[in-house]
Amino acid sequence: MRLYLILLLTVSFAFLHSKAQSCKTDSPTVSTLSSLKETIKKDPRKNLVDLKKLIPGLLVSMPYASSNNFTKVNLYKNPFACLRQEPALALKKIQEELSKKGLALKLYDAFRPFPVTCKMWRLVPDRRYAANPRNGSNHNRGVAVDLTIIDIKTGKELKMGTPFDNFTDSAHHNFYNLPPEVIANRRLLKTVMRKYGFNIVPTEWWHYQWMNRAGYEIIDLDFDDIREILH
Ligand SMILES: [Zn+2]
């Protein structure tokens, strides 16, 4: 009897725990590899492209793949940097344009699995810092990037005034109480990103999203789930 009770308690705890872990969004979502493949078959622009393979000299350094991020938890398992086809090809052109000036892109994040957005929200349920899973993030749709510019010769990041994921006013695009060099660097990034089809968000100098992003579903799959269809 006692054993039965212990078993019952364990099972109900596991059930409640798994319920608490569940996470829903109101946006159109693909939750299986076969449904993702289906959407790609209907619209090849939805292909996911490996950015390191596509873009020569692209530096990728993902803070979410270590505990050195705002959640203090390693959020990524076996990550790679990928985007949908159109923004990926645009990023290649941006890299080509910057390379003429001795500069290159450094990527902090690109596609982010929806389960990670859920985990971020559980750790930090505050809209100022994390995307509410209800709406999802454009990172979950494979159409947003977090990035900066580096000097190819030194490998150093250009001064942008704040680090990545700094959630203060000084990271905002309309914050101008900064050294002229920082303002010029942010303007350089903004100009080149907009030229090839990306939009800003006002509160994060490092975040850009594909302008023509209507119709891209949230991808509720992990990196390992989608690796086999990566281009
Ligand atoms: Zn972002």
Side-chain angles (χ1 to χ4, degrees):
M1 185 65 183
R2 219 166 112 196
L3 198 71
Y4 173 73
L5 263 176
I6 290 169
L7 192 70
L8 189 71
L9 279 170
T10 313
V11 169
S12 18
F13 177 76
F15 178 73
L16 284 171
H17 193 66
S18 75
K19 276 288 182 201
Q21 300 290 305
S22 74
C23 179
K24 291 244 158 60
T25 173
D26 298 330
S27 293
T29 303
V30 286
S31 300
T32 62
L33 183 61
S34 58
S35 57
L36 174 60
K37 280 180 180 169
E38 204 53 46
T39 58
I40 292 169
K41 214 166 121 188
K42 278 191 199 138
D43 184 352
R45 290 177 313 142
K46 292 184 179 174
N47 261 314
L48 289 159
V49 178
D50 185 335
L51 298 174
K52 280 202 97 165
K53 229 160 87 183
L54 177 74
I55 307 173
L58 179 72
L59 198 64
V60 177
S61 170
M62 292 176 157
Y64 300 147
S66 74
S67 56
N68 186 24
N69 65 66
F70 75 101
T71 67
K72 310 287 177 221
V73 171
N74 185 341
L75 298 160
Y76 279 178
K77 200 176 155 230
N78 306 329
F80 44 80
C82 76
L83 281 180
R84 304 282 193 168
Q85 195 166 281
E86 283 186 336
L89 291 170
L91 218 55
K92 183 179 161 71
K93 287 185 190 149
I94 292 163
Q95 176 84 332
E96 281 163 10
E97 181 155 333
L98 287 173
S99 72
K100 290 176 197 154
K101 296 179 180 158
L103 303 169
L105 293 170
K106 177 178 174 180
L107 221 70
Y108 301 125
D109 200 27
F111 163 68
R112 181 185 310 153
F114 184 67
V116 172
T117 289
C118 295
K119 195 169 182 188
M120 278 180 176
W121 189 248
R122 280 199 297 275
L123 293 165
V124 188
D126 186 329
R127 289 183 78 159
R128 285 171 300 171
Y129 310 114
N132 187 332
R134 280 256 160 239
N135 316 313
S137 152
N138 284 317
H139 286 285
N140 304 142
R141 300 180 176 94
V143 291
V145 273
D146 298 327
L147 76 182
T148 192
I149 299 173
I150 58 160
D151 183 312
I152 294 173
K153 231 186 262 168
T154 64
K156 280 192 180 158
E157 295 179 17
L158 301 196
K159 287 183 183 142
M160 293 291 183
T162 78
F164 167 64
D165 271 358
N166 173 289
F167 302 108
T168 66
D169 290 357
S170 48
H172 295 188
H173 277 286
N174 65 0
F175 188 91
Y176 289 107
N177 188 14
L178 296 162
E181 183 191 354
V182 170
I183 292 172
N185 291 340
R186 284 191 187 180
R187 186 174 296 133
L188 172 67
L189 181 59
K190 187 159 68 179
T191 306
V192 74
M193 292 299 286
R194 279 179 161 167
K195 180 177 170 185
Y196 290 97
F198 287 90
N199 270 339
I200 64 156
V201 294
T203 51
E204 301 177 351
W205 63 257
W206 55 84
H207 175 102
Y208 287 87
Q209 46 204 18
W210 189 238
M211 256 179 231
N212 191 13
R213 62 182 176 273
Y216 289 98
E217 294 87 359
I218 284 180
I219 302 172
D220 188 11
L221 293 164
D222 286 311
F223 289 110
D224 282 338
D225 300 327
I226 61 169
R227 191 177 302 274
E228 67 172 83
I229 59 157
L230 207 56
H231 280 260

